[in-house]
């Protein structure tokens, strides 16, 4: 059986290529028989449409050049890894395991640093009368705001935590509201949308957590002050 792909243009006479296990319709003549092709190397395989793949290959002199290039590339990799070519795969797998272990250790170290930072914030930088509403600019990376807020929240108890930082030319804010205050009507998503215009930002989230970033880092302190005022006002009415 020969499968015709709809959309293809065929004339009255259609050329058929028969290679033992496969029969294909072919619109053009490429070679009289497969033996003419000679040395053959698949260069790459790509997707051309849903459910359709294209295999691109080179033959003859081009295939030889492709093989030489591949050999050179493999040798370069082996030299870089300082390992014999036949052990390149083994060496790469070993390096991947080392990288995975290093990333795990780095993550643990980062968590320890954030725990220490949270302890210092709560013990030194947070007056007792402000608890359980902690609204403050912190010195950390934007990617770490969520984890730091969660650590602070666990140590405070029922809470509203709103922390922000400056990174590059942007201001970042993360708000977390514990279940207790969500039930009292304090909504993190509502809060973030109220203060983001101050920093010319965008963002959102859920009732218990929300985040955003803006283009005016110099307005971060103003946004956090506004957040504190809104939270205090909402708390007084619950």
């Amino acid at each position: 059986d020969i499968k015709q792909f709809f959309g293809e243009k065929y004339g009255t006479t259609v050329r058929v290529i028969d290679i033992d296990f496969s029969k294909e319709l072919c619109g053009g003549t490429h070679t009289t028989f497969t033996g003419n092709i000679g040395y053959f190397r698949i260069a790459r395989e790509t997707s051309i449409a849903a459910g359709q793949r294209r295999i691109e290959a080179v033959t003859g002199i081009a295939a030889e050049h492709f093989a030489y290039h591949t050999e050179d590339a493999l040798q370069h990799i082996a030299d870089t890894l300082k390992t014999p070519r036949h052990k390149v795969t083994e060496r790469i797998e070993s390096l991947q395991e080392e990288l995975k272990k290093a990333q795990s250790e780095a993550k643990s170290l980062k968590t320890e640093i954030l725990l220490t930072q949270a302890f210092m914030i709560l013990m030194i930088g947070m007056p007792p009368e402000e608890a359980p509403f902690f609204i403050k600019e912190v010195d950390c990376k934007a990617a770490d705001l969520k984890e730091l807020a969660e650590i602070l929240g666990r140590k405070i108890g029922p809470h509203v935590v709103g922390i922000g930082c400056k990174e590059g030319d942007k201001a970042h804010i993360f708000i977390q509201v514990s279940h207790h205050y969500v039930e009292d009507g304090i909504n993190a998503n509502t809060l973030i949308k109220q203060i983001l215009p101050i920093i010319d930002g965008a963002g959102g989230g859920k009732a218990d957590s929300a985040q955003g970033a803006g283009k005016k880092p110099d307005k971060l302190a103003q946004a956090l002050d506004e957040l504190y005022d809104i939270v205090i006002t909402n708390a007084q009415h619950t």
Side-chain angles (χ1 to χ4, degrees):
D1 293 334
I2 300 175
K3 182 178 181 181
Q4 176 179 344
F5 291 100
F6 293 101
E8 295 291 341
K9 302 293 184 181
Y10 297 102
T12 304
T13 303
V14 182
R15 188 168 187 270
V16 178
I17 303 299
D18 185 350
I19 312 175
D20 288 339
F21 54 85
S22 176
K23 289 183 175 64
E24 307 289 340
L25 300 182
C26 180
T29 300
H30 303 288
T31 185
T32 54
F33 55 91
T34 56
N36 282 343
I37 294 174
Y39 190 41
F40 175 93
R41 291 292 297 268
I42 294 176
R44 63 175 180 167
E45 184 242 0
T46 58
S47 173
I48 57 174
Q52 295 184 35
R53 310 293 296 180
R54 182 198 302 276
I55 293 178
E56 297 181 17
V58 288
T59 64
I61 297 298
E64 290 182 20
H65 290 163
F66 179 83
Y68 295 149
H69 176 75
T70 302
E71 288 287 321
D72 291 342
L74 177 58
Q75 187 60 55
H76 178 70
I77 293 171
D79 292 342
T80 301
L81 297 178
K82 296 180 173 58
T83 190
R85 288 196 297 180
H86 67 281
K87 289 190 176 182
V88 163
T89 301
E90 182 181 332
R91 178 59 176 151
I92 291 175
E93 291 174 349
S94 175
L95 288 173
Q96 287 177 324
E97 285 299 318
E98 290 178 21
L99 177 60
K100 184 178 179 180
K101 181 179 179 181
Q103 289 174 331
S104 177
E105 291 174 351
K107 184 177 180 180
S108 297
L109 179 59
K110 185 189 78 171
T111 300
E112 289 297 323
I113 292 172
L114 290 175
L115 282 168
T116 301
Q117 186 175 0
F119 175 80
M120 298 297 291
I121 288 172
L122 295 176
M123 296 301 295
I124 300 174
M126 181 177 178
E129 62 270 16
E130 289 188 3
F133 308 124
F134 182 77
I135 315 293
K136 189 178 180 69
E137 181 177 345
V138 296
D139 181 18
C140 77
K141 294 182 178 180
D144 295 333
L145 283 176
K146 182 177 185 294
E147 186 173 355
L148 180 58
E150 291 174 348
I151 293 171
L152 288 167
R154 289 196 297 269
K155 292 185 175 297
I156 294 172
H159 63 275
V160 176
V161 170
I163 54 178
C165 71
K166 298 172 184 175
E167 189 171 277
D169 58 353
K170 288 188 177 181
H172 300 263
I173 300 174
F174 186 89
I175 301 174
Q176 180 172 283
V177 181
S178 67
H179 180 69
H180 171 82
Y181 285 103
V182 170
E183 289 187 335
D184 283 345
I186 298 180
N187 186 296
N189 186 50
T190 301
L191 292 173
I192 199 75
K193 291 187 180 299
Q194 286 178 287
I195 64 170
L196 281 177
I198 298 174
I199 59 172
D200 189 17
K206 301 178 293 184
D208 60 348
S209 66
Q211 61 187 323
K215 304 172 185 177
K216 296 181 178 179
D218 57 311
K219 298 290 186 181
L220 177 60
Q222 180 183 338
L224 292 174
D225 287 343
E226 179 68 15
L227 175 60
Y228 182 78
D229 290 342
I230 294 172
V231 170
I232 293 298
T233 300
N234 287 349
Q236 290 173 347
H237 288 84
T238 57

